[in-house]
């Protein structure tokens, strides 16, 4: 079998695929160390390719291009998360697509859980004001700490990441509420969570964390009417996508409600445009989309895809195949 690396961002292959993982892949398939681009594919010579290994920067291709330039391809092993930008034409041509969304979900969940625990101690506003020597203001926030015992946590979206967050929080004594129309009641019972409306989550939870899939139905879903319902001294965390938040509404509410805190790892665009209120609001804290896989964490994604390839070759059950039906609700 013949395999290739394919991405428009060649430097990502070195970041995501460790030497050990590449060596393991080479035990099962013919793979050279060259990373190819779509332009290379169109120039020809890849008609005998069986497997594509990729990551961020996977180029979209039409069904006609796949049939012409990659007629023998059987699988795409995508060592990253969302496949929305390229998967459909491959799936329509009968090519199997595998995604490391589960691997990428782990650091996002870890980041989120750490933020939830800190948020329940009012860490960010207290740290902000203590660092400015505004000690009396910091102590005022200290008087409103919820703590991590019997606090209510709202999880918006119980997909792979949302479920991981819920399971990681089980070692704490927390009351978890979930909004997810696609979560079956029996699965909610299994997770030990209460299904409820967005309005209930925003009006009753000490921390609200967004993990909605990014699609047309979720864009602009989190708006002023919801943010205005937030409890005093509560926190909103966004590691989903900026498009799901009406950011002008959020900034307006943060201006009016200095007791609220927003922790935003994602915005639209990323980073926010120069002069955006998020940069100057003392109760808004931005990070540079660091929740996802970074550093050594990226190797986990290619290891997942290497294991999927081995399972596929040995005709064993795979775990992370993506279907057309799944694309309807996946991020």
């Amino acid at each position: 079998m013949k395999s290739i690396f394919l991405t428009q961002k060649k430097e990502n292959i070195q970041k995501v695929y460790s030497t050990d993982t590449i060596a393991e892949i080479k035990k099962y398939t013919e793979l050279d160390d060259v990373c190819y681009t779509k332009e290379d594919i169109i120039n020809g010579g890849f008609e005998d390719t069986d497997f594509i290994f990729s990551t961020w920067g996977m180029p979209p291709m039409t069904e006609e291009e796949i049939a012409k330039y990659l007629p023998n391809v059987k699988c795409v092993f995508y060592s990253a998360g969302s496949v929305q930008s390229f998967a459909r034409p491959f799936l329509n041509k009968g090519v199997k697509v595998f995604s490391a969304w589960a691997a990428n979900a782990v650091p996002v969940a870890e980041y989120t859980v750490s933020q939830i625990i800190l948020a329940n101690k009012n860490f960010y506003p207290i740290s902000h004001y203590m660092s400015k020597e505004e000690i009396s203001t910091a102590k005022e926030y200290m008087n409103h700490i919820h703590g991590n015992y019997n606090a209510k946590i709202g999880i918006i979206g119980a997909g792979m990441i949302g479920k991981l967050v819920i399971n990681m929080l089980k070692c704490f004594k927390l009351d978890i509420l979930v909004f997810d129309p696609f979560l079956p009641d029996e699965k909610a019972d299994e997770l030990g969570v209460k299904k409820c409306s967005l309005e209930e989550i925003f009006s009753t939870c000490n921390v609200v964390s967004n993990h909605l899939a990014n699609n047309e139905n979720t864009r602009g879903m989190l708006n002023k009417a919801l943010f205005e319902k937030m409890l005093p001294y509560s926190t909103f965390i966004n590691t989903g996508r900026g498009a799901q938040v009406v950011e002008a509404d959020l900034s307006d509410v943060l201006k009016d409600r200095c007791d609220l805190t927003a922790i935003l790892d994602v915005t639209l665009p990323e980073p926010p445009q120069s002069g955006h209120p998020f940069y100057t609001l003392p109760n808004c804290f931005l990070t540079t989309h660091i929740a996802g896989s970074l550093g050594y964490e990226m190797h986990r994604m290619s290891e997942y895809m290497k294991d999927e390839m081995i399972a596929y070759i040995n005709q064993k059950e795979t775990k992370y195949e993506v279907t057309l039906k799944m694309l309807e609700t996946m991020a």
Side-chain angles (χ1 to χ4, degrees):
M1 292 207 175
K2 184 176 180 180
S3 300
I4 62 169
F5 286 124
L6 174 61
T7 176
Q8 300 300 99
K9 299 179 179 179
K10 296 183 178 183
E11 66 276 10
N12 287 341
I13 294 297
Q14 291 182 332
K15 293 178 181 178
V16 173
Y17 289 82
S18 69
T19 54
D20 289 344
T21 295
I22 293 173
E24 284 294 307
I25 293 172
K26 287 181 176 179
K27 290 180 181 178
Y28 292 86
T29 179
E30 180 186 343
L31 174 70
D32 60 38
D33 294 323
V34 178
C35 178
Y36 298 102
T37 65
K38 182 176 179 178
E39 290 70 27
D40 295 323
I41 301 300
I42 290 175
N43 284 334
F46 298 89
E47 292 78 11
D48 58 346
T49 298
D50 296 289
F51 298 154
I52 293 171
F53 286 90
S54 188
T55 184
W56 297 300
M58 172 69 183
M61 301 186 72
T62 66
E63 293 180 34
E64 291 74 21
E65 288 171 335
I66 295 167
K68 182 175 181 180
Y69 302 112
L70 294 164
N72 195 51
V73 70
K74 300 173 180 63
C75 301
V76 176
F77 297 100
Y78 184 65
S79 297
S82 176
V83 298
Q84 293 283 3
S85 65
F86 71 86
R88 282 179 177 81
F90 281 99
L91 293 172
N92 288 338
K93 293 300 295 181
V95 178
K96 290 183 178 293
V97 175
F98 300 88
S99 166
W101 81 84
N104 199 39
V106 174
V108 179
E110 291 171 343
Y111 173 99
T112 301
V113 170
S114 68
Q115 300 304 329
I116 289 171
I117 301 307
L118 291 173
N120 278 329
K121 303 289 279 188
N122 278 352
F123 170 85
Y124 280 98
I126 289 173
S127 175
H128 171 75
Y129 288 111
M130 282 297 292
S131 298
K132 295 177 65 177
E133 205 176 344
E134 297 182 26
I135 298 171
S136 60
T137 304
K139 286 187 174 180
E140 175 60 23
Y141 279 90
M142 185 176 174
N143 292 331
H144 298 280
I145 288 175
H146 304 300
N148 288 291
Y149 187 78
N150 288 333
K152 283 190 175 182
I153 310 301
I155 303 297
I156 306 175
M160 178 67 71
I161 296 172
K163 287 187 180 75
L164 269 178
V165 171
I166 291 165
N167 285 322
M168 288 181 182
L169 288 173
K170 285 184 176 178
C171 60
F172 301 92
K173 181 70 165 61
L174 297 167
D175 186 10
I176 301 177
L177 281 61
V178 172
F179 169 80
D180 190 325
F182 300 101
L183 182 67
D185 291 342
E186 58 271 20
K187 185 61 178 179
D189 293 339
E190 180 184 326
L191 288 169
V193 300
K194 174 189 174 185
K195 288 177 62 178
C196 60
S197 66
L198 281 173
E199 289 74 16
E200 184 175 353
I201 280 182
F202 276 89
S203 62
T204 65
C205 289
N206 306 112
V207 180
V208 178
S209 185
N210 174 43
H211 304 283
L212 286 170
N214 189 36
N215 55 50
E216 291 294 334
N217 295 326
T218 63
R219 288 174 191 167
M221 182 178 285
L222 308 181
N223 55 30
K224 191 170 189 177
L226 294 171
F227 293 123
E228 287 179 331
K229 294 179 184 294
M230 292 180 70
L231 291 177
Y233 297 92
S234 58
T235 300
F236 172 70
I237 301 170
N238 192 12
T239 58
R241 286 292 185 269
Q244 291 138 19
V245 176
V246 182
E247 294 182 335
D249 289 357
L250 176 58
S251 60
D252 285 345
V253 174
L254 291 174
K255 288 178 189 176
D256 294 337
R257 296 274 309 276
C258 62
D259 60 297
L260 300 180
T261 299
I263 301 169
L264 308 178
D265 190 50
V266 290
T267 56
L268 185 68
E270 293 181 14
Q273 293 178 341
S274 178
H276 196 286
F278 286 160
Y279 289 124
T280 55
L281 285 165
N283 50 347
C284 182
F285 299 88
L286 301 169
T287 51
T288 55
H289 205 147
I290 61 173
S293 297
L294 294 171
Y296 297 140
E297 295 168 338
M298 292 188 281
H299 293 169
R300 182 191 285 121
M301 298 188 296
S302 60
E303 288 174 7
Y304 274 41
M305 292 299 93
K306 175 260 295 179
D307 291 343
E308 288 292 89
M309 177 205 68
I310 294 172
Y312 174 82
I313 290 175
N314 292 326
Q315 298 183 336
K316 294 184 178 180
E317 183 180 2
T318 56
K319 298 178 180 178
Y320 306 117
E321 182 177 352
V322 176
T323 65
L324 285 168
K325 181 66 176 177
M326 291 167 65
L327 290 181
E328 297 175 10
T329 56
M330 289 182 75

